[in-house]
Amino acid sequence: LTNVTWSSSMKAKIWTIPNCPYCTKAKKLLEFKGIEYECLDGPVDNWPTSPYLEIDGQEIGGFTELARYLRSI
């Protein structure tokens, strides 16, 4: 991960599938951190689980990677 300065102007994209508990957790974490997000339907070909997230164009990964990323900034 690269060094990122915390900014509430961060924007995320989250790819989700229906009835996905980790998708819901990821959205709640983004909301808690004040990060705007765009929700997109469906899995991502190059990621084995849902959700899949990008923040400001940077590939993050799934919920676990999102939590780790947000702790690091």
Side-chain angles (χ1 to χ4, degrees), residues 3-51:
N3 289 334
V4 177
T5 303
W6 174 256
S7 170
S8 61
S9 66
M10 297 172 95
K11 295 192 186 331
K13 290 184 180 181
I14 178 170
W15 284 261
T16 65
I17 58 173
N19 303 315
C20 168
Y22 284 99
C23 299
T24 301
K25 288 180 179 185
K27 291 181 214 176
K28 288 184 180 191
L29 183 55
L30 291 170
E31 290 167 6
F32 178 75
K33 292 290 190 173
I35 299 172
E36 292 181 38
Y37 63 88
E38 175 184 359
C39 205
L40 303 161
D41 292 331
V44 173
D45 291 338
N46 63 343
W47 191 254
T49 62
S50 287

Side-chain angles (χ1 to χ4, degrees), residues 10-13 52-60 69:
M10 297 172 95
K11 295 192 186 331
K13 290 184 180 181
Y52 175 77
L53 296 106
E54 293 178 358
I55 296 180
D56 292 335
Q58 180 178 347
E59 296 178 345
I60 301 300
Y69 175 80

